[in-house]
Amino acid sequence: MTLNSDNSTSTLPQIPKSYWLHSIDQMPQFPSLTEDLKADVVVVGAGITGITTAYLLAKRGLKVVVLNAGRILEGTTGSTTAKVTVQHDLIYSEFLSHLGEEKTRLYYDANQEALQFVKNIVNELSIDCQLSEEDAYVYTSNNAYIRKIQDEYKAYTKLNIPGAYVETTSLPFETKAAVRMSGQAQFNPVPFLIRFLQEIIKMGGLIFEHTTVVGASQERPSIVKTKQGSQVVCDYVVVSSHFPFNDRKGLYFSRLHAEKSYVLAVRTEKAYPGGMYISAEEPKRSLRSLLIHGEPAILIGGEGHKTGQGICTFDHYENLQKFGEESFGIKEILYRWSAQDIFTLDKIPYIGQQVSDVPNHLIATGFRKWGMTTSMVAAMLNTNLIMGEGSPYEEVFTPRRFHADPSIKTFVMQNANVAMHLIAGKLDLVTKQPEELAFDEGSVVRVHGKRAGAYRESDGKLHVVDTTCTHLGCEVEWNEAERTWDCPCHGSRYSFQGDVIEGPAKKALTKIQLP
């Protein structure tokens, strides 16, 4: 895929790869769990939330076991834009109207503490992770959004949030207005978390990869069971994966939805002006700087959409490419990758006790693309709850909340969308046959008169799977740019062989053998 302009020709890398994961010479590896264990706390999920939670609990003297279904850090954490900021788009004006001043201020305070925690721990542990302090901006190039920017600044003023309203920015294109929040940060999350992993091991914690948790009993102590047959007996379970694996009563699959977004790491003709930026209008455009092999580069992100419901996924990358070329002039596209993020009904993460009658099961999910601070909030809050210390932020983030406005409207719209895709997938008319696929092509096909999915590798090997998602039965769609099968209902993702990449699905797609 290429984009031609008067100035340059830039080629999208064929294979998606995150720079953060590629910036480390050798990622640490951990075994899978093959024996039964006992622990104080089992943390399920080894992204930034799970690793930080395990680190904080181990520091408090608890024996911690971390279980991760795949490789550590290869989920959303390794695919973030890594802005460590309390400026989570235009939210404070909206939160004031829905939550009131007290809870909105608590949301800000919690994330501000998280931002300061990151700065402090990087200094305390001398972590080399490209941490730099930056101003953060939400900007608009559209007159229709100027009032929204102004309303957000009024919310800053009411909440005593340090910030400023500006009409222009240093970006190399026209902006109509922006709201600035100073003293924010950006970093590389992978070396940051690798240091946490080292500290967890030093403190006696245990970390296991390729260990899929399939259930946990509700009594205390709880028995956490794995797909491999081993189990861990523990006092507390902290679920820091996207969708809770033990969703018996919370119905989180109906209260969460998954969205994809895309990132390019590029070298440019024009120098980057500094700061971190995100557009108020859609499609989103996110900008920040970084160093790649010691040379300046820019991350260009955006193009968000519900998982499995986008246009051809290559088009999203090409839209970012066009924006980058027009804005900065692209010399080279170094990396491309995508991330999957989880959204709650009211845009506030679910952190804390999962259901009212199981006090020792905690969750952390729904960070809505702002997980670099909210993950720290989750780790600190859940640690406090486990230690019996409580927190002023518990009520703001409790998973058991339900705000009439906007939660009811979002709940209805979200689940109507799920129902639409469930029905549409079943009625999809498919005529293409597997043998028609070219090399490195995937598509929905028809096999034995039924809907199926097929992908032919570059060497000609054909993989055919049943396209019925193993979570709740929706029909998955082919993601061309990532070579995955994505569910449009609840965001489960599978490799082209049918293996689960991201939940809530636990079981692989059924493989279909051709004659």
Side-chain angles (χ1 to χ4, degrees):
M1 297 287 178
T2 61
L3 173 71
N4 296 317
S5 73
D6 295 336
N7 299 317
S8 69
T9 300
S10 303
T11 304
L12 286 171
Q14 184 177 9
I15 304 298
K17 184 183 295 184
S18 163
Y19 168 68
W20 309 129
L21 297 173
H22 198 242
S23 66
I24 304 300
D25 291 335
Q26 186 172 2
M27 290 286 291
Q29 296 186 17
F30 299 94
S32 59
L33 181 62
T34 57
E35 60 181 341
D36 295 347
L37 296 174
K38 290 185 178 180
D40 294 316
V41 184
V42 168
V43 177
V44 181
I48 188 169
T49 311
I51 292 172
T52 305
T53 302
Y55 169 76
L56 293 177
L57 289 168
K59 280 193 71 175
R60 303 297 291 272
L62 299 186
K63 183 177 180 180
V64 181
V65 171
V66 180
L67 305 178
N68 197 60
R71 290 279 285 122
I72 57 168
L73 301 177
E74 289 192 351
T76 299
T77 297
S79 302
T80 176
T81 55
K83 296 177 178 180
V84 192
T85 178
V86 187
Q87 189 187 62
H88 299 167
D89 210 334
L90 299 179
I91 57 163
Y92 291 104
S93 176
E94 179 181 344
F95 283 179
L96 280 174
S97 64
H98 293 316
L99 307 178
E101 186 172 344
E102 180 182 0
K103 287 186 177 180
T104 303
R105 179 70 202 193
L106 286 169
Y107 178 93
Y108 170 81
D109 288 344
N111 282 278
Q112 184 63 31
E113 284 187 20
L115 169 61
Q116 195 59 50
F117 169 78
V118 172
K119 292 180 179 180
N120 291 345
I121 205 72
V122 168
N123 182 61
E124 177 186 329
L125 298 180
S126 300
I127 304 174
D128 183 9
C129 60
Q130 287 194 40
L131 181 73
S132 64
E133 191 167 289
E134 305 284 344
D135 291 344
Y137 297 81
V138 183
Y139 73 89
T140 185
S141 298
N142 187 328
N143 286 329
Y145 283 80
I146 293 176
R147 176 61 64 85
K148 292 180 181 292
I149 298 285
Q150 292 171 339
D151 288 344
E152 187 73 356
Y153 177 62
K154 290 177 183 177
Y156 283 20
T157 302
K158 185 170 186 177
L159 295 165
N160 295 316
I161 296 174
Y165 174 83
V166 296
E167 293 184 348
T168 60
T169 68
S170 298
L171 290 170
F173 52 85
E174 183 182 13
T175 56
K176 305 288 188 180
V179 60
R180 183 181 71 223
M181 189 180 288
S182 299
Q184 308 305 290
Q186 59 187 25
F187 73 156
N188 181 340
V190 173
F192 176 83
L193 292 170
I194 286 177
R195 183 56 186 276
F196 275 9
L197 291 169
Q198 294 168 346
E199 295 295 316
I200 292 166
I201 297 299
K202 286 181 183 178
M203 292 184 287
L206 298 175
I207 301 166
F208 298 95
E209 298 179 314
H210 305 295
T211 303
T212 303
V213 174
V214 295
S217 60
Q218 296 187 21
E219 70 275 2
R220 182 175 178 182
S222 293
I223 301 174
V224 177
K225 299 179 180 180
T226 70
K227 183 179 180 181
Q228 291 75 12
S230 52
Q231 61 186 34
V232 185
V233 177
C234 60
D235 289 328
Y236 287 90
V237 181
V238 181
V239 183
S240 56
S241 55
H242 275 177
F243 281 79
F245 68 87
N246 52 343
D247 188 8
R248 297 185 185 91
K249 301 177 182 178
L251 298 177
Y252 286 96
F253 70 86
S254 67
R255 299 165 55 197
L256 297 165
H257 78 269
E259 291 195 12
K260 294 284 289 182
S261 57
Y262 302 82
V263 182
L264 297 179
V266 301
R267 297 201 196 283
T268 59
E269 301 285 349
K270 297 178 183 177
Y272 189 73
M276 305 183 301
Y277 298 84
I278 189 167
S279 65
E281 59 265 32
E282 301 285 349
K284 290 294 182 184
R285 295 291 180 259
S286 170
L287 294 164
R288 61 153 288 187
S289 61
L290 75 162
L291 295 176
I292 296 180
H293 308 306
E295 298 293 327
I298 302 174
L299 290 189
I300 303 173
E303 290 287 306
H305 63 86
K306 279 193 172 183
T307 300
Q309 299 185 27
I311 56 179
C312 170
T313 42
F314 268 118
D315 290 351
H316 294 294
Y317 286 111
E318 290 179 342
N319 290 339
L320 295 178
Q321 184 179 2
K322 182 178 180 182
F323 169 78
E325 182 60 49
E326 292 173 348
S327 302
F328 295 94
I330 295 178
K331 290 182 182 178
E332 183 182 7
I333 301 176
L334 302 170
Y335 296 88
R336 71 170 175 93
W337 67 86
S338 67
Q340 179 154 302
D341 295 277
I342 304 298
F343 287 61
T344 67
L345 296 176
D346 59 7
K347 301 183 180 179
I348 298 174
Y350 296 141
I351 304 168
Q353 189 175 324
Q354 182 175 351
V355 291
S356 59
D357 58 347
V358 187
N360 64 325
H361 285 202
L362 309 176
I363 65 169
T365 187
F367 299 147
R368 197 180 63 91
K369 303 183 186 295
W370 301 106
M372 295 301 99
T373 53
T374 50
S375 60
M376 301 293 135
V377 172
M380 292 187 287
L381 175 53
N382 279 336
T383 295
N384 286 347
L385 295 177
I386 287 172
M387 300 306 298
E389 297 171 352
S391 167
Y393 311 125
E394 183 176 356
E395 187 178 352
V396 176
F397 296 97
T398 176
R400 304 188 304 280
R401 71 183 183 272
F402 194 89
H403 298 123
D405 184 13
S407 293
I408 291 176
K409 180 180 178 181
T410 307
F411 180 85
V412 171
M413 292 176 60
Q414 182 172 301
N415 286 282
N417 179 266
V418 168
M420 179 188 72
H421 282 276
L422 175 62
I423 295 169
K426 303 301 182 185
L427 299 178
D428 193 13
L429 297 177
V430 181
T431 59
K432 195 165 190 173
Q433 301 297 313
E435 56 268 21
E436 298 176 36
L437 295 179
F439 292 158
D440 193 25
E441 182 185 3
S443 177
V444 174
V445 296
R446 199 157 192 83
V447 176
H448 307 313
K450 297 181 179 180
R451 191 184 199 270
Y455 171 72
R456 188 182 299 279
E457 294 190 68
S458 298
D459 63 3
K461 185 176 181 180
L462 187 65
H463 301 268
V464 184
V465 296
D466 186 330
T467 56
T468 303
C469 180
T470 60
H471 176 227
L472 289 178
C474 292
E475 298 297 322
V476 299
E477 300 292 343
W478 178 244
N479 179 338
E480 180 183 3
E482 317 294 331
R483 296 174 178 83
T484 60
W485 294 104
D486 298 353
C487 178
C489 292
H490 300 107
S492 295
R493 299 182 65 233
Y494 306 83
S495 70
F496 59 76
Q497 296 105 326
D499 298 321
V500 176
I501 298 174
E502 296 187 74
K506 300 175 186 177
K507 297 180 181 179
L509 296 175
T510 302
K511 292 180 172 59
I512 297 175
Q513 299 297 324
L514 297 181

